[in-house]
Amino acid sequence: MSNHSNAYWKANLRLIALCLTLWGAVSYGCGILFVEQLNHFSLGGYKLGFWFAQQGAMYAFVALIFFYNWRVTKLDQRYRAGRDTREGK
């Protein structure tokens, strides 16, 4: 693999690690660890900790999918532009 490809995959793996960290923080943190603190607030008549455990985590996961798609598209454009200029395209 070239240095260009290695840099692309390193950036992609960093992005995946960020998304997985956020995913774990929302599902485990908000749904289990911080439920008592979040239950002091309410959203739509439900305690916030309960809401995150039941629905909020799903919304966060869908948002992460769109975030990952947006960022990987930017990565693809950036690294493709670098490859195209080196190859003379």
Side-chain angles (χ1 to χ4, degrees):
M1 272 187 154
S2 69
N3 287 339
H4 188 71
S5 296
N6 286 336
Y8 170 77
W9 282 108
K10 186 175 181 180
N12 196 1
L13 289 175
R14 245 190 333 262
L15 178 60
I16 291 170
L18 172 69
C19 288
L20 287 174
T21 301
L22 291 173
W23 178 47
V26 169
S27 64
Y28 188 70
C30 295
I32 297 172
L33 292 179
F34 304 116
V35 169
E36 296 301 321
Q37 291 86 356
L38 290 172
N39 280 340
H40 289 94
F41 306 99
S42 65
L43 181 67
Y46 297 101
K47 293 181 179 182
L48 191 57
F50 173 79
W51 185 84
F52 259 107
Q54 298 303 314
Q55 290 183 346
M58 289 185 292
Y59 292 132
F61 301 153
V62 171
L64 277 173
I65 290 169
F66 285 104
F67 171 76
Y68 176 78
N69 184 31
W70 173 68
R71 289 298 301 153
V72 85
T73 301
K74 295 280 187 190
L75 276 177
D76 288 345
Q77 289 171 352
R78 185 171 90 198
Y79 284 97
R80 177 171 293 262
R83 188 185 71 196
D84 290 348
T85 57
R86 277 198 318 274
E87 293 175 357
K89 291 183 181 179

